[in-house]
Amino acid sequence: DLILELEKRLDQTLQSGRSETGSPGQRLMPMLAQARRNALGLIEDLRQTSEQARDLANAMDFTFLLDRQRLLLSVGFDAQSEELQPYFYNLLATEPRTAVFIAIANEDIPQECWFRLERPFTRDHGHPVLLSWTGTMFEYLMPSIWMRSYPNTLLDRAIVSAVRAQQTYAASKGIPWGISESACAKRNEVGDYHYEAFGVPNLALKKNDAEPMIISPYSTFLALNVDRKGSLANLRRMKALGWFGSYGFYEAADYTRPRRRAKCELVQSWMVHHQGMSLLSLANFMCDNVVQRWFHSDRRVQATELLLQEKPVSQTRAA
């Protein structure tokens, strides 16, 4: 406890008479005591939050979301009609693979569900890459906050190829890279920012009518462990462009319809879940993949992680 040690040393100094009445040391003592109480309170709040999150995770049951004919998870359940929605998560290179993996690890659904996730792919500048639904960085990289990426596997190559495709696309526009679902400069009648899934067209099954030009900094944080040098350079570039505010990087920079002759319009807001993904990605980056190590320490995950080591099929014709 650094605060407690500092208190002891300061108290010794005060007791020895080397500190005068009203000195900075005397004024600091009650502040240190309050800081220690605050720290202990925060630790207890985090402990309780951790226990609550663990209880919620363990209580999850994905069984009722499974379509047993398709062996796919529905996007949702209508509680009023007690019916599954007739739409399904069916792509490997999207964020729902996290739910599929956890449901398998928890034995709510069979392992076969993993292999029912489709693996369509294309080529981007000569490199094979798995297709996602909208071509967002989020779809490819968000699951990697928790789930390990094993070298020379299908998912590892998909992640690396997606980052490379994002970088190439942005370079062709002369702008920083990193496109995901985010808010943009478009607003509704009450002034709220519009939110949408923006992605790179070459990576998307669902094509956007217009070329997306909305860059979200959190997308680069997700890529820190994929391209360390490139990600840090991109973040420094964004900061130099003035994209950093009171609570960190802004939500996004919209290059679609810039006003007042500016190159882009900043979306000056902060979304909690994007900030959270950034912080978790930073934790992995700076602390030897601490979030991944925590996730894979669970025995249920260890019994299922072989799914993440799927090798890419060679000599496959691109779409």
Side-chain angles (χ1 to χ4, degrees):
D1 191 319
L2 294 177
I3 296 178
L4 183 59
E5 180 64 25
L6 184 56
E7 282 183 302
K8 289 180 179 178
R9 293 188 180 185
L10 187 56
D11 185 60
Q12 291 173 357
T13 301
L14 293 174
Q15 293 295 335
S16 67
R18 295 196 300 266
S19 182
E20 299 178 358
T21 303
S23 67
Q26 287 188 327
R27 295 197 301 270
L28 182 59
M29 276 296 288
M31 296 180 187
L32 285 174
Q34 183 61 50
R36 189 168 187 274
R37 287 193 293 271
N38 291 343
L40 291 174
L42 177 60
I43 291 172
E44 178 59 22
D45 288 344
L46 290 173
R47 186 190 64 78
Q48 292 181 9
T49 301
S50 175
E51 290 181 357
Q52 183 181 22
R54 186 186 303 110
D55 292 342
L56 288 171
N58 288 331
M60 285 183 181
D61 186 350
F62 292 86
T63 306
F64 74 102
L65 290 172
L66 179 65
D67 183 293
R68 297 193 176 277
Q69 289 186 329
R70 295 180 174 86
L71 288 181
L72 294 171
L73 292 180
S74 169
V75 299
F77 182 82
D78 190 321
Q80 186 171 0
S81 65
E82 297 187 351
E83 293 180 347
L84 287 177
Q85 295 297 304
Y87 311 104
F88 303 90
Y89 292 119
N90 65 343
L91 290 178
L92 181 67
T94 51
E95 77 281 4
R97 73 174 179 269
T98 306
V100 176
F101 182 90
I102 292 174
I104 293 171
N106 209 36
E107 298 184 342
D108 292 339
I109 63 177
Q111 279 197 5
E112 188 180 350
C113 296
W114 183 265
F115 301 102
R116 290 297 181 95
L117 297 172
E118 296 179 11
R119 292 148 170 81
F121 74 97
T122 187
R123 288 190 176 274
D124 183 81
H125 295 83
H127 300 285
V129 57
L130 279 176
L131 289 168
S132 68
W133 182 238
T134 50
T136 68
M137 195 80 87
F138 169 80
E139 290 173 291
Y140 290 96
L141 296 180
M142 188 274 281
S144 295
I145 293 175
W146 299 277
M147 297 191 289
R148 286 174 178 153
S149 179
Y150 296 92
N152 299 318
T153 58
L154 178 66
L155 285 172
D156 179 66
R157 292 190 182 182
I159 289 168
V160 172
S161 297
V163 172
R164 184 189 298 118
Q166 288 255 353
Q167 291 170 332
T168 302
Y169 180 79
S172 70
K173 309 292 183 182
I175 59 178
W177 54 272
I179 300 176
S180 282
E181 60 176 62
S182 69
C184 63
K186 180 181 176 182
R187 296 175 184 256
N188 62 17
E189 61 276 5
V190 296
D192 296 327
Y193 287 116
H194 175 72
Y195 190 93
E196 188 177 335
F198 304 103
V200 171
N202 286 356
L203 302 179
L205 276 176
K206 179 187 177 183
K207 304 297 182 183
N208 198 314
D209 294 335
E211 290 190 358
M213 297 282 281
I214 294 87
I215 310 302
S216 50
Y218 87 90
S219 300
T220 299
F221 281 97
L222 291 175
L224 277 168
N225 274 348
V226 180
D227 181 359
R228 173 182 304 219
K229 184 177 179 181
S231 296
L232 291 175
N234 202 43
L235 290 171
R236 292 189 185 103
R237 182 181 179 186
M238 293 175 181
K239 187 175 186 301
L241 290 171
W243 297 12
F244 199 86
S246 302
Y247 303 102
F249 283 98
Y250 290 119
E251 167 69 3
D254 192 334
Y255 284 85
T256 308
R257 291 182 295 273
R259 300 186 217 172
R260 301 176 184 175
R261 299 182 181 178
K263 290 185 178 180
C264 68
E265 183 173 351
L266 291 177
V267 180
Q268 297 187 36
S269 67
W270 295 270
M271 304 197 77
V272 172
H273 63 300
H274 293 165
Q275 295 291 311
M277 283 186 275
S278 297
L279 291 171
L280 289 174
S281 298
L282 272 173
N284 277 331
F285 178 67
M286 300 178 69
C287 302
D288 191 27
N289 290 315
V290 61
V291 182
Q292 290 183 2
R293 286 190 284 112
W294 164 77
F295 184 72
H296 283 262
S297 68
D298 189 289
R299 292 182 178 180
R300 292 168 294 182
V301 173
Q302 293 171 9
T304 313
E305 61 187 6
L306 190 61
L307 293 176
L308 304 176
Q309 300 181 40
E310 177 182 350
K311 295 294 183 180
V313 178
S314 60
Q315 305 298 324
T316 308
R317 184 176 301 171

